[in-house]
C-alpha cells in the first residue's frame, strides 16, 4: 500500500492509515496556502521605493532581492500570489457553477443535451489562451475581466464529467420511481442528483484552481490581463524580462518558483481529495 502513495506521503506519518495521511496532507497543504493568502492580503499594496538599494541580489534582509525601484521582491511576490489565489478561487467557483448548470440542463431533454454537447465541442475547439484573451479584452481586462475570462473557459472538462454522472443517475430505478410518484424534475435534481454529484463538483473545483491561476498569470504576462499597477505575478515576470540581460535573475526566478509551488500545492489538495472521495482508494 505504501508503494501506491504519492511522493509527498511516502516515509511520512508511518503510524497513520491511508485516510488519516490523506486528511493530514490536505490540512497541512491548505494551511500553507491560507498563510500565503492572508500574508499577501494584509500587506500594503503601495510598497515604499528606495533607489539606494535597487537591483540588490538575494540577502538575509531581502530574501528575494529588490527590484529596479528598490522594492522588496519577497513582499511583491506574496502580494502577487495572494491576488492570483483570489482570482483563481473566484474563477474556479464560477466555472463550477456554470458546469453544474449545464450538466443539469443536459438532463432536461434530448434537445438540451445536444445543445450542451455542441457548446462543449465549440469551446473545446478554440485555443484556451486565445479565448481567455478575447474575453478579457472584451470585458475591459483588469481583475474582473481576467476572472470572468478564466471562469468562462474552464468549465468544459467538469461539464463533461457531471453530464455523464447526471445522465447515469437519471436512468436509475429510484429516479424512475420518483417520476411515477409525480415528482417533477426540479425536485429530483435537488433531492436525488445534486447530493450524489456534490463530491465531484467540489473536487472538480479544486482541480480547476491550479489551471485558473496559471492561465491568469500567463494572460497577464502577455499583457492581456491585469493592469501594470496591480501586484500580480504575471506583471512581475513581464517586467523582469527587461532586466534579465543585466543579470538580475532573481526578479523572475523567485516569483516564478513561488507560483509553481502554489500551483503544485493546489494540485496536491485536489489529488488527495479525489483519493478521499473515491471509494476504491479511500481505504482505512
Amino acid at each position: 500500500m505504501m508503494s501506491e502513495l504519492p511522493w509527498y506521503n511516502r516515509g511520512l506519518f508511518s503510524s497513520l492509515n491511508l485516510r488519516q495521511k490523506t486528511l493530514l496532507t490536505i490540512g497541512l497543504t491548505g494551511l500553507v496556502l491560507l498563510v500565503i493568502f492572508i500574508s499577501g492580503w494584509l500587506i500594503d499594496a503601495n510598497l515604499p521605493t528606495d533607489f539606494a538599494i535597487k537591483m540588490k541580489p538575494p540577502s538575509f534582509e531581502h530574501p528575494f532581492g529588490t527590484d529596479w525601484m528598490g522594492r522588496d521582491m519577497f513582499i511583491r511576490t506574496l502580494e502577487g500570489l495572494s491576488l492570483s489565489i483570489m482570482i483563481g478561487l473566484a474563477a474556479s467557483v464560477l466555472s463550477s457553477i456554470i458546469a453544474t448548470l449545464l450538466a443539469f440542463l443536459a438532463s432536461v431533454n434530448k434537445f438540451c443535451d445536444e445543445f450542451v454537447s455542441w457548446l462543449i465541442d465549440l469551446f473545446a475547439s478554440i485555443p484556451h489562451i486565445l479565448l481567455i484573451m478575447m474575453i478579457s479584452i472584451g470585458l475591459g481586462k483588469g481583475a474582473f475581466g481576467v476572472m470572468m475570462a478564466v471562469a468562462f473557459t474552464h468549465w468544459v472538462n467538469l461539464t463533461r464529467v457531471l453530464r455523464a454522472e447526471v445522465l447515469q443517475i437519471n436512468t436509475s430505478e429510484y429516479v424512475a420511481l420518483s417520476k411515477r410518484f409525480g415528482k417533477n424534475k426540479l425536485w429530483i435534481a435537488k433531492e436525488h442528483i445534486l447530493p450524489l454529484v456534490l463530491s465531484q463538483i467540489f473536487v472538480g473545483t479544486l482541480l480547476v484552481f491550479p489551471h485558473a491561476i496559471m492561465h491568469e498569470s500567463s494572460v497577464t504576462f502577455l499583457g492581456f490581463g491585469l493592469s501594470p499597477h496591480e501586484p500580480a505575478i504575471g506583471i512581475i515576470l513581464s517586467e523582469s524580462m527587461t532586466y534579465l540581460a543585466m543579470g538580475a535573475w532573481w526578479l523572475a526566478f523567485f516569483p516564478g518558483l513561488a507560483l509553481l509551488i502554489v500551483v503544485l500545492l493546489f494540485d496536491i489538495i485536489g489529488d488527495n481529495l479525489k483519493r478521499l472521495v473515491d471509494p476504491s482508494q479511500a481505504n482505512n
Side-chain angles (χ1 to χ4, degrees):
M1 181 64 69
M2 289 297 293
S3 61
E4 299 177 0
L5 294 177
W7 59 269
Y8 45 82
N9 271 346
R10 293 176 186 172
L12 298 175
F13 322 122
S14 57
S15 62
L16 304 177
N17 59 42
L18 181 57
R19 182 181 292 274
Q20 291 171 333
K21 292 174 184 177
T22 303
L23 288 171
L24 190 56
T25 301
I26 293 172
L28 292 176
T29 309
L31 180 62
V32 172
L33 290 170
L34 184 62
V35 169
I36 293 174
F37 175 74
I38 294 177
S39 300
W41 188 258
L42 293 177
I43 295 173
D44 185 6
N46 299 316
L47 294 179
T49 59
D50 187 356
F51 290 96
I53 58 171
K54 67 177 182 178
M55 305 295 285
K56 293 292 183 182
S59 62
F60 288 108
E61 186 178 0
H62 303 286
F64 288 6
T66 60
D67 64 4
W68 51 94
M69 297 179 66
R71 294 172 296 185
D72 188 274
M73 286 300 297
F74 178 74
I75 296 178
R76 289 197 72 197
T77 300
L78 278 179
E79 284 184 328
L81 291 176
S82 180
L83 182 60
S84 293
I85 291 174
M86 182 179 67
I87 292 176
L89 175 62
S92 58
V93 170
L94 286 174
S95 179
S96 297
I97 292 174
I98 294 171
T100 304
L101 292 176
L102 289 176
F104 279 97
L105 178 64
S107 67
V108 173
N109 53 46
K110 185 178 180 181
F111 173 77
C112 291
D113 185 36
E114 290 177 354
F115 171 75
V116 171
S117 299
W118 172 80
L119 202 62
I120 290 173
D121 293 336
L122 175 65
F123 274 79
S125 64
I126 304 175
H128 229 62
I129 293 294
L130 178 61
L131 188 58
I132 293 175
M133 289 190 297
M134 291 170 58
I135 297 175
S136 178
I137 294 172
L139 294 176
K141 300 195 288 187
F144 176 77
V146 174
M147 180 184 68
M148 298 305 293
V150 174
F152 281 115
T153 55
H154 282 71
W155 53 266
V156 176
N157 291 331
L158 183 57
T159 303
R160 282 199 183 104
V161 174
L162 293 179
R163 172 181 167 272
E165 288 285 336
V166 171
L167 293 178
Q168 182 180 4
I169 295 171
N170 266 332
T171 61
S172 61
E173 294 182 359
Y174 52 86
V175 171
L177 188 61
S178 296
K179 291 178 180 178
R180 291 176 185 174
F181 277 106
K183 302 297 184 181
N184 57 37
K185 292 185 177 181
L186 181 60
W187 187 92
I188 293 173
K190 183 179 67 173
E191 299 295 332
H192 286 319
I193 301 177
L194 186 59
L196 294 176
V197 297
L198 273 178
S199 59
Q200 287 91 335
I201 294 172
F202 187 58
V203 174
T205 302
L206 284 174
L207 291 176
V208 167
F209 216 122
H211 296 279
I213 293 176
M214 288 297 292
H215 281 111
E216 175 270 318
S217 299
S218 301
V219 173
T220 301
F221 175 80
L222 295 173
F224 298 97
L226 301 177
S227 304
H229 69 276
E230 296 183 87
I233 295 295
I235 296 294
I236 294 174
L237 294 176
S238 179
E239 292 174 343
S240 67
M241 296 296 103
T242 308
Y243 300 92
L244 286 181
M246 300 170 57
W249 55 269
W250 59 88
L251 297 180
F253 176 76
F254 289 113
L257 180 62
L259 177 64
L260 178 62
I261 290 173
V262 167
V263 169
L264 288 176
L265 289 176
F266 275 112
D267 200 38
I268 288 173
I269 292 179
D271 287 342
N272 277 275
L273 275 175
K274 188 176 181 180
R275 181 178 298 107
L276 194 63
V277 301
D278 187 351
S280 65
Q281 299 185 39
N283 297 319
N284 289 323

